[in-house]
């Protein structure tokens, strides 16, 4: 048996699990940006159980079976595999959605400022210098344009330009991660034991790890339905891979667009196999409500557009339809607040235990005392940081409250509704500016809000759902908390190091402006669009936005009524959670897959009941595994044969 780093309680943290976990962290934090920025292949970090984790996980299970048959003592135990997978899950959002935007936005002001965009007048005077990388020694210029031919990387100059800004940015982001982790600890018992939320995305690791002993394949892999499900996406992707080499082989399309009527949004038909698989484990009223409210929102937005009644002024990083996005955001906020109200008794018990000197929280990843202390100190530090960055105290409080609402809400949607791809309908910056009014926010505050898009703009693959999944798997696999906490902390810290170092190296090697991504685009990248938006708001201050807040209020009121009906009448078919996500552009891409999963499960339950539902599980797990394997194979084919001209498959 491998020597453990800690005592017997750690369970899954061993020297080999830590080493393999760090290799996975490296592969995600380096392979993710490489795939989308230079290779042009699938996005392997996008979702809350992405291919970047799913493909290595399946390969690890198969390889571990081979090793166990050679020598059983060499094989990884399920707790070790869980530790490795958790280390991968917690870093999926780091390379692209945190570090990618951080470097793109924080470097933009001094590089892109010009007389035409007027940044020198409306942005540069209000920048917090402690957060801005310096362009001395052309550190920023060379990052966007690449080093001159034959020039060696000037490490001393780069260290001077980047070290302190990155220190202060990471101090905030890591504090936000730590607070998110503590909130998961505080809410875990409410979500898992009292509300019994489904955690659909964890069905895959649980299915492949349960009873996986004796050097045999997991029991589910002996089921013919599993291989039937896996064969469908794997066969389609393999056929299309053949078409990469032979253009006379027709490509199997699985993406179509349908225009229902003039001025109405386009209906996207995507056969997304992981969504079909994961949604099978979601309650029928939840999956039904998502696609039902999606159709309602499409009709609403079409009518608003046809008759000129809706919101026409869009907000930055709000990817959905403007009118119904604000409506969904109202529902989203009510969902979070209602969930906290429902947990009030549990939260009271948490506070009581936090003040008891000898209280025990053995079931949690942290003691309640530690978790509550982390939340209080972390919130204090983040508020001070935001104030030093240029926000007034009121703006900082309002913005940070929106961030935490978004994090808690997304986490709940992932673990209850099986949301595979998800962001918020509206970002906290938009809610802050539209509620308080840009006229009441000083230019320093508007610039600071613009800078916060670095870590809270494209709010996807965030840390908090991964922490919730870690807590769930720990309870299922009976893993000690000490080792898992250490593994998560090391994965996050080292993951940021890998991701930032890799992006800087890529920038100085080929020039960030040459990345195959809109984020670093010179004309309309994340940084350029962010500060153009800031300039527009500084030049033309406005009071609160009554129309957007009206739609917010409509969504909040509708959510309140739907929540009342759900809890008051057991026969009520619509779960209110669907209204919170119906407007998202991701839902527009996966609504058909959700409908297919709902319809299949409805038919199975109607004609075969719970017994047939259980028998069909291997097929839907197979759909997910087959997709992981297919996209993983496609990624390596692109890497070897089509570097720079890869093939994009279903957002990874």
């Amino acid at each position: 048996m491998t020597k453990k780093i800690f005592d017997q309680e750690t369970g899954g943290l061993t020297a080999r699990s830590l080493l393999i976990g760090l290799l996975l962290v490296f592969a995600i934090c380096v392979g993710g940006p490489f795939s989308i920025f230079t290779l042009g292949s699938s996005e392997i970090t996008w979702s809350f159980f992405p291919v970047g984790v799913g493909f290595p996980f399946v390969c690890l299970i198969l390889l571990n079976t081979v090793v166990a048959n050679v020598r059983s003592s060499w094989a990884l135990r399920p707790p070790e595999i869980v530790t490795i997978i958790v280390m991968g899950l917690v870093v999926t959002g780091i390379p692209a959605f945190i570090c990618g935007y951080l470097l793109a936005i924080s470097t933009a002001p001094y590089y892109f400022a010009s007389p035409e965009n007027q940044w020198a007048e409306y942005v540069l005077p209000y920048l917090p210098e402690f957060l801005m990388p310096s362009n001395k020694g052309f550190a920023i210029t060379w990052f966007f344009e690449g080093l001159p031919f034959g020039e060696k990387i000037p490490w001393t100059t780069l260290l001077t330009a980047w070290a302190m800004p990155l220190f202060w940015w990471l101090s905030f982001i890591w504090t936000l991660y730590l607070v998110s982790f503590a909130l998961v600890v505080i809410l875990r018992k409410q979500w898992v034991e009292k509300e019994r939320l489904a955690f659909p995305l964890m069905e895959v690791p649980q299915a492949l790890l349960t009873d996986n002993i004796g050097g045999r394949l997991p029991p589910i892999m002996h089921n013919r339905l599993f291989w039937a499900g896996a064969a469908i996406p794997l066969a389609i992707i393999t056929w299309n891979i053949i078409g990469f080499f032979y253009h006379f082989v027709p490509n199997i399309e699985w993406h179509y667009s349908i225009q229902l009527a003039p001025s109405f949004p386009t209906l996207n038909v995507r056969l997304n196999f992981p969504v079909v698989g994961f949604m099978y484990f979601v309650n029928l009223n939840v999956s039904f409500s998502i696609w039902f409210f999606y159709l309602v929102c499409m009709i609403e937005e079409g009518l608003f557009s046809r008759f000129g009644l809706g919101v026409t002024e869009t907000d930055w990083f709000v990817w959905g339809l403007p009118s119904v996005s604000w409506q969904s955001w109202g529902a989203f906020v009510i969902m979070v607040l209602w969930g906290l109200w429902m947990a009030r008794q549990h939260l009271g018990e948490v506070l009581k235990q936090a003040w008891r000197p000898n209280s025990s929280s053995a079931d949690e990843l942290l003691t309640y005392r530690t978790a509550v202390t982390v939340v209080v100190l972390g919130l204090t530090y983040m508020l001070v940081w935001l104030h030093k960055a240029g926000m007034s105290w009121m703006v900082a409080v309002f913005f940070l409250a929106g961030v935490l609402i978004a994090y808690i809400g997304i986490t709940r949607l992932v673990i209850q509704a099986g949301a595979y791809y998800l962001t918020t309908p509206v970002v906290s910056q938009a809610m802050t500016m539209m509620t308080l009014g840009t006229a009441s926010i000083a230019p320093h505050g508007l610039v600071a809000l613009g800078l916060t898009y670095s870590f809270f703009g494209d709010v996807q693959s965030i840390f908090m759902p991964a922490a919730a999944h870690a807590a769930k798997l720990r309870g299922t696999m009976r893993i000690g908390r000490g080792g898992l906490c250490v593994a998560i902390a090391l994965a996050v810290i080292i993951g940021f190091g890998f991701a930032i170092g890799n992006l800087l190296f890529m920038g100085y090697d080929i020039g960030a402006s040459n990345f195959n991504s809109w984020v670093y685009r010179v004309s309309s990248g994340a940084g350029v669009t962010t500060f153009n938006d800031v300039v527009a708001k500084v030049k033309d201050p406005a009071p609160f936005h009554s129309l957007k807040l009206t739609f917010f209020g409509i969504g909040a009121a509708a959510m309140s009524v739907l929540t009342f009906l759900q809890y008051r009448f057991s026969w009520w078919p619509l779960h209110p959670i669907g209204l919170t996500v119906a407007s998202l552009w991701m839902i527009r891409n996966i609504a058909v897959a959700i409908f297919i999963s709902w319809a299949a499960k409805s038919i199975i339950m109607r004609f075969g009941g719970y017994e047939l539902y259980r028998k069909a599980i291997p097929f839907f797990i197979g759909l997910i595994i087959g997709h992981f394997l297919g996209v993983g194979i496609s990624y390596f084919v692109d890497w070897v044969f089509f570097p720079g001209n890869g093939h994009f498959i279903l957002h990874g």
Side-chain angles (χ1 to χ4, degrees):
M1 186 63 65
T2 300
K3 182 181 178 181
K4 294 177 180 169
I5 293 178
F6 295 99
D7 58 29
Q8 185 66 26
E9 186 198 13
T10 60
L13 186 59
T14 62
R16 61 185 183 182
S17 68
L18 180 60
L19 177 60
I20 297 172
L22 290 178
L23 288 175
L24 178 59
V25 169
F26 176 82
I28 292 170
C29 292
V30 174
F34 172 71
S35 178
I36 56 177
F37 291 167
T38 61
L39 186 61
S41 189
S42 293
E43 165 60 86
I44 63 171
T45 63
W46 188 3
S47 83
F48 293 100
F49 201 120
V51 170
V53 177
F55 178 72
F57 172 54
V58 178
C59 292
L60 186 61
I61 292 292
L62 297 176
L63 179 61
N64 197 54
T65 302
V66 175
V67 171
N69 281 284
V70 174
R71 180 172 292 184
S72 60
S73 62
W74 291 355
L76 294 167
R77 295 174 294 109
E80 292 178 289
I81 298 177
V82 167
T83 301
I84 295 166
I85 297 310
V86 166
M87 291 177 72
L89 288 175
V90 298
V91 301
T92 53
I94 290 175
F97 298 107
I98 298 291
C99 294
Y101 284 98
L102 172 60
L103 297 189
I105 292 176
S106 66
T107 56
Y110 291 126
Y111 180 74
F112 290 106
S114 66
E116 291 76 16
N117 60 33
Q118 299 180 294
W119 290 9
E121 180 180 355
Y122 294 105
V123 174
L124 300 189
Y126 307 111
L127 289 171
E129 291 298 324
F130 73 101
L131 295 177
M132 309 308 297
S134 169
N135 199 26
K136 292 180 181 179
F138 302 103
I140 305 305
T141 300
W142 287 346
F143 173 69
F144 277 97
E145 300 176 7
L147 288 167
F149 180 76
E151 186 79 25
K152 295 183 179 179
I153 297 179
W155 294 108
T156 303
T157 301
L158 298 185
L159 185 64
T160 302
W162 290 98
M164 289 310 295
L166 286 176
F167 168 80
W168 288 111
W169 278 111
L170 291 179
S171 74
F172 184 94
I173 294 169
W174 285 350
T175 302
L176 181 59
Y177 273 42
L178 193 56
V179 169
S180 299
F181 188 79
L183 289 173
V184 166
V185 170
I186 292 171
L187 292 169
R188 186 208 65 86
K189 188 174 183 179
Q190 173 69 23
W191 287 339
V192 175
E193 299 179 17
K194 296 187 176 181
E195 297 186 51
R196 298 186 180 277
L197 301 185
F199 287 83
L201 271 58
M202 291 301 96
E203 292 292 335
V204 170
Q206 290 180 114
L208 295 184
L209 290 174
T210 302
D211 298 326
N212 183 16
I213 57 176
R216 296 178 288 104
L217 285 172
I220 194 172
M221 287 189 171
H222 293 280
N223 191 303
R224 292 182 180 179
L225 281 177
F226 172 86
W227 293 108
I232 297 173
L234 190 55
I236 293 174
I237 295 173
T238 302
W239 176 268
N240 288 342
I241 289 175
I242 296 173
F244 297 171
F245 298 92
Y246 305 103
H247 297 294
F248 59 83
V249 176
N251 188 60
I252 298 178
E253 296 288 346
W254 46 13
H255 175 205
Y256 303 93
S257 297
I258 301 173
Q259 185 72 44
L260 298 176
S263 300
F264 278 70
T266 301
L267 176 65
N268 295 325
V269 180
R270 289 179 182 266
L271 191 55
N272 196 310
F273 293 107
V275 173
V276 175
F278 284 123
M279 292 302 295
Y280 183 73
F281 302 101
V282 176
N283 291 341
L284 284 171
N285 63 336
V286 172
S287 55
F288 171 75
S289 72
I290 293 176
W291 68 260
F292 174 83
F293 282 114
Y294 159 75
L295 293 177
V296 171
C297 282
M298 294 303 99
I299 295 172
E300 275 189 275
E301 191 67 34
L303 293 175
F304 294 149
S305 177
R306 177 71 68 87
F307 297 105
L309 300 175
V311 174
T312 57
E313 178 187 344
T314 58
D315 302 283
W316 181 219
F317 279 109
V318 177
W319 308 119
L321 307 169
S323 301
V324 293
S325 288
W326 279 91
Q327 178 179 283
S328 290
W329 178 238
F332 190 100
V333 172
I334 293 299
M335 176 194 69
V336 174
L337 296 180
W338 175 255
L340 294 176
W341 172 254
M342 291 291 292
R344 63 191 183 280
Q345 184 176 356
H346 167 69
L347 295 176
E349 289 298 319
V350 169
L351 292 175
K352 289 179 182 178
Q353 290 192 40
W355 289 109
R356 293 173 185 166
N358 300 318
S359 63
S360 175
S361 308
D363 292 336
E364 310 300 340
L365 287 167
L366 298 173
T367 66
Y368 284 143
R369 170 170 286 191
T370 301
V372 171
T373 302
V374 165
V375 170
V376 173
L377 294 180
L379 291 178
T380 302
Y381 177 76
M382 288 191 288
L383 287 173
V384 172
W385 190 97
L386 292 170
H387 182 64
K388 291 295 183 182
M391 296 185 197
S392 67
W393 290 109
M394 180 175 65
V395 172
V397 169
F398 206 95
F399 166 74
L400 188 56
V403 171
L404 295 178
I405 286 173
Y407 271 50
I408 294 172
I410 287 176
T411 303
R412 185 182 184 94
L413 288 167
V414 171
I415 66 177
Q416 180 178 11
Y420 190 56
Y421 301 110
L422 187 66
T423 185
T424 55
V426 171
V427 290
S428 183
Q429 294 91 333
M431 185 64 184
T432 301
M433 290 185 285
M434 297 303 102
T435 303
L436 301 179
T438 55
S440 65
I441 303 175
H444 287 90
L446 292 173
V447 171
L449 282 170
L451 286 171
T452 60
Y453 290 119
S454 297
F455 62 85
F456 191 80
D458 205 358
V459 192
Q460 301 183 55
S461 301
I462 61 174
F463 170 79
M464 193 170 177
H469 287 148
K472 172 66 173 178
L473 287 175
R474 174 186 174 262
T476 303
M477 298 295 171
R478 299 179 180 179
I479 303 173
R481 66 184 177 191
L484 196 58
C485 287
V486 170
I488 291 172
L490 288 175
V492 168
I493 294 171
I494 296 175
F496 269 99
F498 285 152
I500 292 174
N502 176 61
L503 287 172
L504 289 176
F505 176 81
M506 290 172 62
Y508 290 115
D509 183 33
I510 64 174
S513 60
N514 295 316
F515 289 171
N516 185 24
S517 170
W518 75 272
V519 176
Y520 289 92
R521 195 174 296 158
V522 173
S523 59
S524 56
V528 173
T529 307
T530 291
F531 292 106
N532 283 341
D533 184 66
V534 169
V535 169
K537 289 179 169 57
V538 173
K539 290 175 64 176
D540 187 21
F544 69 92
H545 201 294
S546 58
L547 184 57
K548 290 178 180 178
L549 294 182
T550 298
F551 277 101
F552 174 87
I554 292 172
M559 185 69 177
S560 300
V561 172
L562 289 169
T563 302
F564 168 79
L565 292 173
Q566 183 208 9
Y567 281 91
R568 181 65 179 83
F569 304 106
S570 59
W571 51 265
W572 181 253
L574 289 176
H575 196 288
I577 207 170
L579 189 59
T580 66
V581 298
S583 66
L584 299 180
W585 74 272
M586 295 94 154
I587 299 300
R588 299 208 302 274
N589 286 332
I590 65 176
V592 172
I594 294 173
F595 173 80
I596 291 172
S597 185
W598 168 84
K601 184 176 179 179
S602 296
I603 294 171
I604 289 171
M605 293 294 290
R606 180 176 180 84
F607 293 101
Y610 183 73
E611 183 179 354
L612 185 58
Y613 162 79
R614 295 294 302 175
K615 289 181 178 179
I617 285 177
F619 176 82
F620 290 90
I621 295 287
L623 290 177
I624 300 167
I625 299 303
H627 176 84
F628 287 162
L629 290 173
V631 177
I633 293 170
S634 174
Y635 177 92
F636 283 104
V637 169
D638 283 339
W639 189 6
V640 175
F641 297 102
F642 304 98
N645 296 287
H647 303 83
F648 201 68
I649 300 177
L650 281 178
H651 310 303

